[in-house]
Amino acid sequence: MSNVCRWYDQTSGMKRAYDKGLLAKSWIDDYCLNEGKNCVRKRRFETEGYVSPDYVLPDGTIDQKLKKARDRGIF
């Protein structure tokens, strides 16, 4: 897939969350499979070197369900 964000397969917390059934496919379709367009996570990493926690969604909001899952070691 040529439109996949370059970080999706390598390090993406979004991919791990999706693979575990914790994240709706729409997040992957709208951001990860759209070259990371408008993705706050990608922008922070590439411009600031800042890696967002895995519970921060591509639009920059915090997903409490993902935060709890991460805290419990689920993903």
Side-chain angles (χ1 to χ4, degrees):
M1 286 187 257
S2 61
N3 293 335
V4 176
C5 174
R6 69 186 227 169
W7 304 110
Y8 181 66
D9 288 325
Q10 299 173 12
T11 60
S12 177
M14 298 300 96
K15 180 181 185 328
R16 287 192 305 278
Y18 175 70
D19 288 349
K20 294 280 187 177
L22 300 169
L23 189 66
K25 188 172 186 314
S26 59
W27 287 106
I28 302 304
D29 291 342
D30 293 347
Y31 291 91
C32 304
L33 302 182
N34 192 17
E35 297 178 353
K37 186 176 179 183
N38 298 319
C39 180
V40 170
R41 296 171 57 84
K42 178 184 176 199
R43 184 172 58 245
R44 281 184 184 156
F45 183 76
E46 292 181 347
T47 62
E48 303 169 29
Y50 174 77
V51 179
S52 296
D54 290 341
Y55 54 82
V56 175
L57 295 172
D59 67 357
T61 60
I62 293 174
D63 185 312
Q64 291 300 324
K65 180 178 79 173
L66 289 181
K67 186 173 187 310
K68 288 176 185 175
R70 193 230 32 193
D71 291 347
R72 290 189 312 238
I74 294 174
F75 84 107

